[in-house]
Amino acid sequence: MEKYLLDLNKEQRKAVIHKDGPLMVIAGAGSGKTRVLTHRIIHLLKEGINPFNILSLTFTNKAAKEMRNRIENIIGNSISKNLWMGTFHSVFSRILRFESEKINYPQNFTIYDTEDSKQLIKSIIKELNLDKDIYKTGLIRNRISTLKNNFITYQKYYENKELALQDQIAKRVEFGKIYQIYQNRCHKASAMDFDDLLIKTYELLELFPDLLEKYQQKFKYILIDEYQDTNHIQYLIVKKLASKFMNICVVGDDAQSIYSFRGANIQNILNFKNDYPNYTSYKLEQNYRSSSTIVEAANSIIKNNEKQIQKTVWTDNPKGEKIIVVKTTSDNDEGRLVANTISEIQMRKQAHCHDFAILYRTNAQSRALEESLRKKNIPYKIYGGLSFYQRKEIKDLLAYFRLAINPNDEEALKRIINYPRRGIGLTTLQNLSLMANSNNSSIWEVINNLDNNSKLNNGTQKKLKDFALTINEFIIKSNEKDAYFASEEIAKQSGIFSELYNDKSPEGVNRFENIQELLNGIKNFVEHAEKESNKLADFMQDVALLTDQDTEKDNDFNKVTMMTVHAAKGLEFPYVFVVGLEENMFPNIMSSESQEALEEERRLFYVAITRAEKRLFLSFASSRFKWGQFIDSEKSRFIDEIDEKCLEKHEHLPSSELKKSKKFMLNKNQIDTKKYALNLNKRRLKKVNYLTNNDYSDTEKIKNGMNVKHSSFGIGKIINISGEGANKKATVFFSGIGQKNMLLKFAKLQIVK
DNA sequence: ACCTCAAACATTTTT
DNA sequence: TGTTTGAGGT
């Protein structure tokens, strides 16, 4: 037997060497799902299948990368690099760029991220003069996205009475109009949102039989990871592609389907047998990851769900220690508990930071945990939240890049037309937008073809012409020079570089460093790219599809991982903390209405605890700080669903500094109301301070040359005074920060002698 | 056009 | 509690 088949168990091996035809692998948590996929691909290659004929779709870029690496290690880079491997979105965007003219898009189309989509919807709602309290941008975007994921275009929406009725009930009668305009504007901007990448691919295959034939021939073997999380449109595409050779292999676990909010349809995996009647299926039920206690606990939870494919996950692993469940008084207390436990285990067992993960239901929970870890000097990394590419300064610079590649990109243009300041304000932009809409062109086309427009005064026209000149130069540079050269030029000439360089505040310095990091990344890209594909457009192709996990830095290696349970899917850690196990939190309040939603929360919890290899810690707080006040909370029902004999329950006694006020601890409500009152008082005090300051401040006494103290900037020197009375202003120089103009009325400056 | 502060608002998960 | 929006002033 070949070496690569030796380290597989019987079932795994059957799945790997299965001949042609539809194949479904139901893989329980920790049962070696990725191993089966990679080995199957290796097996196909060994059997002489051309790597160009294999399409492997994963859920994240990271998973794709990891698979490619594993395959490369066994079979070599020259073969593995030719595999089609990536997320649905990245693979299909590549195909769409290749075939773009067929669907009437330029090759350099932009990919709008969620924020771009929201901004566009916001402007459409404004232009239509609709009530923004009824038409909430987030909701509208979600609805459009859900419709698209179910392959309901705006045309189909108009034909569907039931959907129209839903919107009538929600008093959003203009929804269809917004959807239609949104779609047209995206097209006019040569932009696609995430969902378009799927829809347009399907349309491409539907409208052009020759293309369908071409890609069916190309992708003779199709493998799909995390099949339980595919949505309807993905399902349709795959079905079309696979319909000729039927060599489709799907791997998944219905018990880990957690993305229904994104349109994932658990029916896809449950109905596989109907779609492909002559299918074969294997079940991987042996768990290699977790202690038997953890496996048993996981089983006891998931059996509460009604809808599922029957399977029994078991393990040969030792029993291990019991799962610790701890009740804490507050979210901060929970944070301290986690931090203390981590450092304790680290000392006793010589575990490394990267052995630990803290998982939570919502991103907002990271704050309290972060604070506790910082206090204990435990290094950590947070995934999710604001990723590198989402930061303002990065998005600003990227917007210039986007414009250089596709000047019709409306959202990019709006973002930077007045950043850095060049005196093109809201009124001008509104005018431009109106003109663009009326002659059905893009804003850029209006700006680029200005000839003595009567609606704009001469000064404004001059500014716009200058802007057009700049962008046109960027277009030329990005076409002619390599990505690094072009991006550096753009960073400098746009004014972003100096804008950030001159900001010497700590945040400003950080922003400047981020810009440099981006440029370094581009430099790296150019050094590794082929000559013919080292342009800025090549670099920008996938940027919108990158996430936090794809940009891991080297120095992030030995750190405690903090992430949402969703983000933890597919990962494993020796020690796992699942925090915030409270009703309305986990299960989340948004999911409490329906049985289906609750079952999904349960699957999410199942995913959470099956991440753990050795030890699992569950915690909940009886009170949590939210929206500026303490909210009482109850233990999550999921804890009670776990088999008692797997658990060891504790109540966490707060650390020493709180023990001093022990008498308050007798009644948690008491301490909460106390804290709350204290907080209120603080706020009131702030207000009073502000008022009194107004009356008795040193406003009148402050003179040029004096040293003053500011609450956040520290000591500075007055270098200029202007205005009188309430409008009296001072220019103050703070060392290390720079000059600031401030109204004395508000600045609360104290004279320093 | 730009700047500032206070009021209003908001948290589910993400390619 | 943080962040975004809007009013009102320059």
Side-chain angles (χ1 to χ4, degrees):
Chain A
M1 196 184 298
E2 294 256 19
K3 208 167 71 191
Y4 67 93
L5 293 174
L6 286 176
D7 51 350
L8 298 170
N9 71 27
K10 229 180 188 171
E11 285 296 298
Q12 290 174 333
R13 197 174 302 141
K14 277 192 211 159
V16 165
I17 62 174
H18 173 80
K19 296 279 180 204
D20 294 359
L23 170 66
M24 172 165 75
V25 181
I26 300 297
S31 65
K33 175 172 64 85
T34 316
R35 167 169 292 192
V36 165
L37 270 175
T38 51
H39 282 65
R40 182 163 170 79
I41 291 172
I42 290 163
H43 183 72
L44 289 171
L45 294 169
K46 293 251 182 186
E47 297 272 287
I49 308 293
N50 190 327
F52 287 105
N53 291 138
I54 299 176
L55 169 65
S56 164
L57 296 168
T58 56
F59 196 69
T60 62
N61 292 306
K62 195 184 175 195
K65 213 163 142 188
E66 209 176 295
M67 261 170 71
R68 196 186 285 279
N69 283 340
R70 287 204 207 177
I71 293 169
E72 191 181 317
N73 286 339
I74 296 183
I75 212 145
N77 162 278
S78 59
I79 297 174
S80 73
K81 73 171 186 210
N82 292 328
L83 291 163
W84 280 75
M85 193 173 269
T87 62
F88 280 85
H89 291 87
S90 71
V91 168
F92 294 154
S93 76
R94 220 187 312 165
I95 292 176
L96 285 172
R97 286 196 198 278
F98 202 72
E99 313 287 354
S100 57
E101 84 285 359
K102 286 257 175 29
I103 47 164
N104 204 10
Y105 263 85
Q107 205 216 333
N108 58 3
F109 66 81
T110 301
I111 298 172
Y112 274 177
D113 66 16
T114 309
E115 197 189 323
D116 294 320
S117 300
K118 271 193 189 160
Q119 286 303 124
L120 176 53
I121 289 166
K122 202 169 167 186
S123 23
I124 294 170
I125 290 170
K126 211 166 184 182
E127 284 161 26
L128 292 175
N129 267 323
L130 298 171
D131 185 345
K132 66 173 169 34
D133 294 328
I134 296 170
Y135 294 88
K136 298 201 168 161
T137 42
L139 284 179
I140 302 282
R141 197 208 71 90
N142 282 345
R143 184 156 174 79
I144 291 177
S145 177
T146 306
L147 291 175
K148 284 186 174 182
N149 282 324
N150 287 300
F151 197 40
I152 300 169
T153 57
Y154 71 83
Q155 293 94 336
K156 284 192 197 151
Y157 170 86
Y158 280 133
E159 293 162 11
N160 190 319
K161 291 209 176 71
E162 194 186 326
L163 290 170
L165 194 69
Q166 284 172 12
D167 282 308
Q168 262 168 29
I169 291 166
K171 300 216 166 84
R172 290 181 307 227
V173 282
E174 302 287 354
F175 173 79
K177 203 168 174 185
I178 299 174
Y179 187 3
Q180 180 175 5
I181 295 176
Y182 172 78
Q183 215 46 37
N184 289 338
R185 287 276 273 277
C186 282
H187 189 236
K188 210 164 63 187
S190 297
M192 294 194 202
D193 64 18
F194 288 143
D195 309 314
D196 285 335
L197 296 175
L198 305 176
I199 287 212
K200 302 282 177 198
T201 302
Y202 185 74
E203 284 175 350
L204 195 73
L205 301 176
E206 175 98 336
L207 290 171
F208 303 96
D210 54 322
L211 281 184
L212 175 61
E213 171 73 19
K214 171 178 157 188
Y215 285 104
Q216 282 174 337
Q217 287 293 342
K218 197 181 190 73
F219 303 134
K220 289 200 176 74
Y221 289 86
I222 301 174
L223 300 97
I224 307 168
D225 194 7
E226 311 278 13
Y227 191 64
Q228 78 280 359
D229 282 323
T230 49
N231 63 33
H232 186 62
I233 186 79
Q234 290 169 330
Y235 159 84
L236 289 177
I237 296 171
V238 167
K239 201 172 173 193
K240 243 186 173 17
L241 285 174
S243 65
K244 189 174 181 101
F245 293 105
M246 292 285 188
N247 291 325
I248 175 174
C249 164
V250 303
V251 180
D253 179 5
D254 57 301
Q256 295 184 64
S257 166
I258 54 173
Y259 277 94
S260 73
F261 70 94
R262 218 174 75 186
N265 190 349
I266 194 168
Q267 294 304 322
N268 290 345
I269 197 162
L270 299 178
N271 288 342
F272 189 82
K273 54 182 187 294
N274 305 336
D275 289 321
Y276 304 93
N278 61 334
Y279 79 114
T280 312
S281 93
Y282 297 105
K283 281 185 195 169
L284 308 181
E285 296 179 306
Q286 181 174 3
N287 176 307
Y288 294 95
R289 178 187 295 153
S290 313
S291 73
S292 74
T293 304
I294 293 170
V295 170
E296 197 175 338
N299 282 339
S300 63
I301 287 158
I302 203 66
K303 73 161 188 261
N304 290 289
N305 271 7
E306 271 172 28
K307 269 197 230 157
Q308 53 183 313
I309 296 173
Q310 269 316 311
K311 63 179 158 313
T312 322
V313 178
W314 59 277
T315 186
D316 264 347
N317 290 344
K319 198 157 190 198
E321 284 171 83
K322 287 196 174 180
I323 296 166
I324 309 284
V325 179
V326 192
K327 174 182 181 173
T328 66
T329 54
S330 68
D331 46 354
N332 287 322
D333 190 28
E334 184 179 51
R336 277 191 291 272
L337 164 80
V338 172
N340 289 341
T341 315
I342 289 178
S343 53
E344 220 173 274
I345 294 176
Q346 267 182 330
M347 286 197 287
R348 274 210 328 262
K349 308 236 165 143
Q350 294 187 315
H352 299 285
C353 282
H354 65 252
D355 293 332
F356 296 88
I358 308 173
L359 308 181
Y360 34 80
R361 179 63 179 80
T362 66
N363 282 306
Q365 287 166 262
S366 67
R367 198 179 301 270
L369 296 157
E370 220 180 320
E371 211 173 292
S372 313
L373 292 181
R374 217 174 13 230
K375 273 187 193 149
K376 279 242 151 197
N377 283 324
I378 300 171
Y380 61 87
K381 55 189 163 181
I382 297 183
Y383 288 104
L386 214 52
S387 90
F388 182 73
Y389 288 100
Q390 306 266 322
R391 291 185 191 157
K392 185 191 172 298
E393 62 275 16
I394 299 297
K395 288 204 90 170
D396 289 336
L397 186 52
L398 288 178
Y400 276 100
F401 296 168
R402 279 163 60 174
L403 272 191
I405 293 159
N406 167 23
N408 291 323
D409 183 335
E410 186 174 319
E411 297 313 306
L413 182 132
K414 280 186 186 158
R415 187 175 183 103
I416 48 84
I417 192 166
N418 202 28
Y419 179 83
R421 298 263 120 83
R422 43 175 79 84
I424 305 173
L426 229 70
T427 332
T428 308
L429 199 60
Q430 265 167 13
N431 277 329
L432 290 170
S433 188
L434 269 163
M435 285 185 251
N437 286 343
S438 71
N439 55 18
N440 198 27
S441 64
S442 69
I443 295 181
W444 167 253
E445 282 163 338
V446 174
I447 298 175
N448 203 27
N449 300 306
L450 272 187
D451 41 348
N452 289 324
N453 196 299
S454 53
K455 280 192 189 134
L456 302 164
N457 66 42
N458 283 338
T460 312
Q461 290 202 32
K462 168 87 175 53
K463 288 171 191 163
L464 289 173
K465 278 181 180 155
D466 282 348
F467 175 71
L469 210 68
T470 314
I471 297 300
N472 277 319
E473 270 175 41
F474 292 171
I475 293 172
I476 294 169
K477 288 230 169 70
S478 68
N479 277 330
E480 290 177 351
K481 309 284 186 183
D482 70 60
Y484 182 59
F485 186 91
S487 59
E488 209 179 20
E489 285 286 295
I490 293 175
K492 280 180 191 155
Q493 286 180 30
S494 62
I496 287 198
F497 220 76
S498 55
E499 176 98 0
L500 293 176
Y501 183 76
N502 290 329
D503 185 350
K504 292 297 183 198
S505 65
E507 301 86 24
V509 171
N510 191 250
R511 278 188 216 116
F512 188 69
E513 285 169 357
N514 285 337
I515 292 286
Q516 284 184 315
E517 195 182 322
L518 176 63
L519 292 177
N520 281 336
I522 297 177
K523 191 175 186 179
N524 194 28
F525 164 80
V526 170
E527 279 162 6
H528 291 275
E530 312 273 326
K531 264 258 160 54
E532 60 273 16
S533 58
N534 69 359
K535 297 284 189 295
L536 195 53
D538 299 303
F539 175 79
M540 290 297 284
Q541 239 180 55
D542 294 329
V543 164
L545 300 173
L546 291 180
T547 61
D548 223 20
Q549 298 204 30
D550 306 321
T551 51
E552 186 162 337
K553 288 184 237 150
D554 299 340
N555 60 1
D556 271 353
F557 176 63
N558 193 16
K559 290 181 178 173
V560 173
T561 298
M562 295 172 64
M563 52 171 53
T564 62
V565 182
H566 281 91
K569 191 169 82 158
L571 305 178
E572 56 189 14
F573 304 88
Y575 303 92
V576 170
F577 295 81
V578 185
V579 300
L581 283 168
E582 296 132 37
E583 283 296 299
N584 295 337
M585 192 72 161
F586 199 169
N588 195 269
I589 189 159
M590 309 301 264
S591 311
S592 55
E593 302 132 26
S594 71
Q595 183 66 26
E596 285 92 56
L598 186 68
E599 292 209 347
E600 175 146 326
E601 291 284 310
R602 190 175 284 115
R603 291 193 293 269
L604 191 58
F605 186 51
Y606 177 79
V607 169
I609 65 178
T610 50
R611 297 310 95 198
E613 297 168 0
K614 287 187 188 147
R615 295 206 67 183
L616 176 62
F617 301 83
L618 309 175
S619 59
F620 61 99
S622 48
S623 155
R624 188 169 284 278
F625 202 60
K626 202 181 179 188
W627 294 350
Q629 55 180 327
F630 280 94
I631 310 283
D632 285 352
S633 39
E634 274 174 55
K635 175 171 67 164
S636 167
R637 71 189 76 182
F638 293 154
I639 290 180
D640 294 326
E641 291 176 4
I642 304 175
D643 195 332
E644 277 286 334
K645 65 177 185 287
C646 304
L647 301 180
E648 183 183 322
K649 295 178 181 170
H650 291 279
E651 198 152 333
H652 181 240
L653 291 174
S655 54
S656 56
E657 68 253 48
L658 278 173
K659 273 185 192 152
K660 285 177 209 153
S661 52
K662 212 168 184 175
K663 54 187 165 189
F664 295 128
M665 298 309 301
L666 297 172
N667 181 340
K668 71 173 170 35
N669 285 330
Q670 214 172 336
I671 193 172
D672 288 351
T673 37
K674 282 228 157 169
K675 270 193 191 169
Y676 183 45
L678 210 83
N679 231 315
L680 261 184
N681 265 335
K682 260 192 205 159
R683 285 204 208 180
R684 268 189 216 127
L685 222 75
K686 235 179 172 174
K687 263 191 185 153
V688 173
N689 255 337
Y690 162 72
L691 288 172
T692 50
N693 226 351
N694 232 354
D695 297 340
Y696 304 105
S697 71
D698 298 332
T699 312
E700 293 308 316
K701 294 180 216 150
I702 286 177
K703 297 270 148 56
N704 218 339
M706 277 178 169
N707 286 324
V708 291
K709 189 176 176 189
H710 184 270
S711 56
S712 50
F713 299 132
I715 308 272
K717 190 171 189 158
I718 307 276
I719 53 177
N720 190 34
I721 297 277
S722 64
E724 279 302 316
N727 295 323
K728 197 170 178 181
K729 271 187 194 167
T731 307
V732 193
F733 181 81
F734 297 98
S735 71
I737 293 167
Q739 273 185 31
K740 295 276 170 192
N741 288 320
M742 35 187 70
L743 263 180
L744 292 180
K745 181 167 71 163
F746 296 120
K748 293 184 257 175
L749 294 177
Q750 285 179 310
I751 297 174
V752 182
K753 272 146 202 148

